[in-house]
Amino acid sequence: MVNFTLVNGQVYTPGLAIIDAPQPNTPLGGDNLQIAIDVSGNGKLPWPPSTDNDSATQFHDIRFFLTSESLSHNFTISNGTTPSTNTSYVGPVLDLEPSSTVKHVNWIWPKCLVGDGSGSKSNSDRGAYNISMHQSFRWNGTDYYTVFQLPISVTNSISESDERVDCALLENELLSVAEVDESSDSLPGQPWIEGVTSVNWNNEAILRSHWSRTLLDLSSQLGPENIFISIYESGSYDNTKGALRDLDWELERLRVPRNITLSHITHEDEMAAPARGEGWVRTTAGGARKLRRVPYLARPSDVFELLNTNDGEYGAACSLDFSKPPNFYDTFALRDIRGHEAVMSTWPYFRTVESRYAMKSLSPVPVASCWNGMVAMPAGPFLATSPLRFRGIPDSLAEYHLEGSECCLIHADNPLSEEKGVYLNPRVRVGYTGQAYAAVKPISNWLTAKRILQGLWVNRVRRWSIAFWVKEEVVRRRVDSWKALDPKNDEPGQLCIIDEMQILHRNSL
């Protein structure tokens, strides 16, 4: 997996430390391995560091190792202790250069890495390595332990020296990638960066046709100092990775800070993994264990319009998305202000009077949940001491043939939803194709008189239908049955739940 957060030549780690040098994938050699890290969050942490154990954000420890899975090595660079000799390994990192916020680790290469080139001999220890950075720290009142792997290659010339120690003196047990990942905590975000996020799978056509250009235009208009872009791609079987690499080059040219992750994990890999933890349900068809399932076209002006929804006061603000106009697309996540599904997929959509009237006047529509192509949310709840996280409904509840959208549940869990409200902005309409986008773009006259009249009457008839009440009652009874099994069973996002079971299924073709 490729996963680096590069901002102006600095590598932002999953922790408080920022690596100034070396850069990822740098060929190294010389007398020493030289690592430079900023421990002040680029000036955001007080210096000298606080000695108060109750400080909400502070370092505990930083350790470095040089590891290679292919060469089966795990050498100590700095393990938090003081070495018995000056040349074996480096002492406690945070104690280096006490008056400086940048710590310079100078580690003398061991004997087995002496040589030139990559080392073609079968017994050579030169080649591809990771600088493995282990951080123990507190962030916003929560303690974390993370491991970050910075790839480098030991391929430049390293000469003989009496100061070099035997590699055996520095060797540690080499843990597998899975074991390292298991030991590393997941953070709700990067401590020093906030910004725009995207998830991509088989999106090459969309990326190359318009999405990348729109993102570049938005970055230019906002300015690179006001945006951070995070993109995650996984297991695409088109050339999405290539399109994202091209985008990465363009963002680098604009000097836009970003994190672009390209993962080779596929749906097939997920289904082949052992059924453990959350995310698996027993289906009614044969009782098999199945894994539950866990891009739109817009312009920068749409983004700015969305950000200004309700004068910028909201727990979340969403656009309205279309694939085949006049029907809106994301029925799974949209709920009116009282938690009801839309009664119709065309204008004016809603059952509840408050949501319906706002839609008629093209005002920000108060809703309980939305996603619908594009969403803006304040980052604060995601960075809190108890961070807001995307989730699904419990597996034990899903086995009642129920499902809930993570894009709806996030609003049920977000404390700002009640405090500031969730709004759908009917003036921001996005499409999944150029044709759909063009069809819904006129701001005020996007509906014909016939469609308005038809919509009003159809909406009135459907509001009085008992079909929607029956659907909600089925869900309510199943949730009540689940709650009765255990006093601890609770689902605050019941408004998001529908009578479906969604799983990943292997394509037999």
Side-chain angles (χ1 to χ4, degrees):
M1 179 184 293
V2 181
N3 188 357
F4 306 121
T5 303
L6 290 169
V7 182
N8 296 328
Q10 292 182 304
V11 180
Y12 283 72
T13 68
L16 301 181
I18 303 170
I19 298 178
D20 292 332
Q23 292 290 289
N25 301 307
T26 300
L28 298 177
D31 292 332
N32 303 334
L33 168 61
Q34 298 176 335
I35 307 170
I37 58 170
D38 184 297
V39 293
S40 71
N42 280 337
K44 295 178 182 177
L45 281 176
W47 194 262
S50 173
T51 57
D52 184 359
N53 290 331
D54 294 328
S55 294
T57 300
Q58 61 177 298
F59 279 102
H60 298 319
D61 189 25
I62 298 177
R63 303 183 182 192
F64 283 104
F65 300 86
L66 186 68
T67 66
S68 175
E69 188 173 21
S70 61
L71 297 170
S72 300
H73 283 308
N74 180 8
F75 299 131
T76 298
I77 297 175
S78 177
N79 62 10
T81 65
T82 302
S84 57
T85 69
N86 292 331
T87 60
S88 53
Y89 57 87
V90 179
V93 172
L94 292 174
D95 292 343
L96 301 173
E97 303 160 291
S99 62
S100 176
T101 60
V102 177
K103 306 300 181 182
H104 295 89
V105 176
N106 291 296
W107 181 63
I108 299 175
W109 297 110
K111 289 182 179 180
C112 63
L113 298 182
V114 169
D116 197 358
S118 60
S120 57
K121 297 180 180 179
S122 60
N123 62 348
S124 174
D125 292 308
R126 294 168 59 82
Y129 280 86
N130 286 319
I131 297 174
S132 184
M133 182 181 195
H134 298 236
Q135 295 182 70
S136 175
F137 59 95
R138 181 177 300 148
W139 177 33
N140 290 339
T142 300
D143 288 326
Y144 295 96
Y145 176 83
T146 64
V147 181
F148 175 69
Q149 311 284 13
L150 182 73
I152 55 102
S153 61
V154 182
T155 53
N156 288 354
S157 177
I158 298 176
S159 60
E160 297 275 2
S161 171
D162 292 339
E163 292 186 313
R164 307 198 191 285
V165 301
D166 289 333
C167 288
L169 297 176
L170 303 173
E171 193 74 78
N172 304 283
E173 178 186 359
L174 180 66
L175 301 179
S176 68
V177 174
E179 289 173 314
V180 172
D181 289 344
E182 184 72 21
S183 69
S184 184
D185 294 326
S186 296
L187 271 66
Q190 211 294 325
W192 312 124
I193 302 175
E194 302 174 12
V196 177
T197 61
S198 169
V199 177
N200 294 87
W201 181 66
N202 289 337
N203 289 146
E204 180 190 7
I206 293 174
L207 289 166
R208 295 194 187 281
S209 66
H210 61 267
W211 197 92
S212 294
R213 175 47 53 192
T214 299
L215 183 61
L216 292 168
D217 290 344
L218 176 64
S219 301
S220 296
Q221 292 186 35
L222 286 172
E225 70 278 6
N226 296 316
I227 189 171
F228 179 83
I229 295 169
S230 179
I231 297 175
Y232 185 92
E233 179 279 337
S234 177
S236 298
Y237 47 77
D238 63 358
N239 194 28
T240 295
K241 286 181 171 62
L244 289 174
R245 290 189 182 100
D246 292 343
L247 173 61
D248 183 56
W249 186 90
E250 292 288 346
L251 291 170
E252 174 63 25
R253 187 175 59 83
L254 294 175
R255 301 190 68 80
V256 174
R258 64 206 179 277
N259 175 22
I260 298 180
T261 296
L262 307 180
S263 172
H264 294 285
I265 297 175
T266 66
H267 287 171
E268 186 75 18
D269 296 330
E270 296 286 5
M271 289 186 289
R276 61 186 181 186
E278 285 291 308
W280 294 82
V281 296
R282 191 172 300 282
T283 66
T284 55
R289 300 285 287 177
K290 296 286 188 179
L291 181 63
R292 293 168 54 207
R293 56 123 216 113
V294 173
Y296 56 85
L297 180 58
R299 292 173 178 163
S301 57
D302 296 316
V303 178
F304 290 116
E305 178 78 35
L306 184 66
L307 292 174
N308 289 326
T309 299
N310 199 43
D311 295 325
E313 286 295 315
Y314 48 77
C318 308
S319 63
L320 189 57
D321 60 340
F322 296 87
S323 177
K324 297 179 180 179
N327 301 291
F328 84 94
Y329 180 79
D330 195 355
T331 60
F332 197 15
L334 185 61
R335 299 291 185 271
D336 69 24
I337 189 60
R338 298 187 188 176
H340 301 304
E341 293 183 36
V343 296
M344 54 197 296
S345 61
T346 55
W347 186 92
Y349 312 109
F350 299 108
R351 184 192 317 185
T352 300
V353 60
E354 298 95 327
S355 300
R356 193 170 67 253
Y357 278 10
M359 175 59 68
K360 290 179 181 178
S361 64
L362 285 180
S363 302
V365 179
V367 293
S369 167
C370 59
W371 202 257
N372 301 88
M374 184 164 57
V375 61
M377 301 177 71
F382 294 94
L383 305 175
T385 302
S386 297
L388 180 65
R389 306 295 289 270
F390 285 93
R391 65 175 179 89
I393 63 172
D395 289 348
S396 57
L397 179 57
E399 290 186 349
Y400 281 77
H401 198 273
L402 297 174
E403 188 57 275
S405 168
E406 69 279 6
C407 298
C408 176
L409 294 167
I410 195 74
H411 300 296
D413 297 342
N414 186 0
L416 292 185
S417 295
E418 183 174 351
E419 180 182 335
K420 293 189 173 184
V422 179
Y423 295 91
L424 183 143
N425 191 331
R427 292 180 174 271
V428 184
R429 299 186 285 274
V430 299
Y432 293 93
T433 66
Q435 184 178 7
Y437 184 69
V440 298
K441 273 318 291 173
I443 295 299
S444 57
N445 60 342
W446 63 301
L447 297 169
T448 64
K450 177 182 178 181
R451 195 171 297 283
I452 291 174
L453 183 61
Q454 183 182 46
L456 291 173
W457 279 102
V458 171
N459 184 275
R460 178 175 297 179
V461 171
R462 292 195 177 185
R463 290 202 310 269
W464 291 102
S465 170
I466 67 170
F468 293 98
W469 179 87
V470 171
K471 287 174 62 177
E472 292 179 355
E473 183 65 13
V474 168
V475 170
R476 186 190 66 78
R477 290 182 179 181
R478 292 179 186 174
V479 173
D480 286 347
S481 297
W482 172 73
K483 288 181 177 179
L485 294 177
D486 190 328
K488 296 180 180 179
N489 284 350
D490 182 53
E491 177 47 73
Q494 185 168 332
L495 64 93
C496 304
I497 298 178
I498 60 175
D499 180 16
E500 290 184 12
M501 176 179 284
Q502 299 189 7
I503 60 174
L504 285 176
H505 182 69
R506 183 176 287 105
N507 193 331
S508 59
L509 296 179

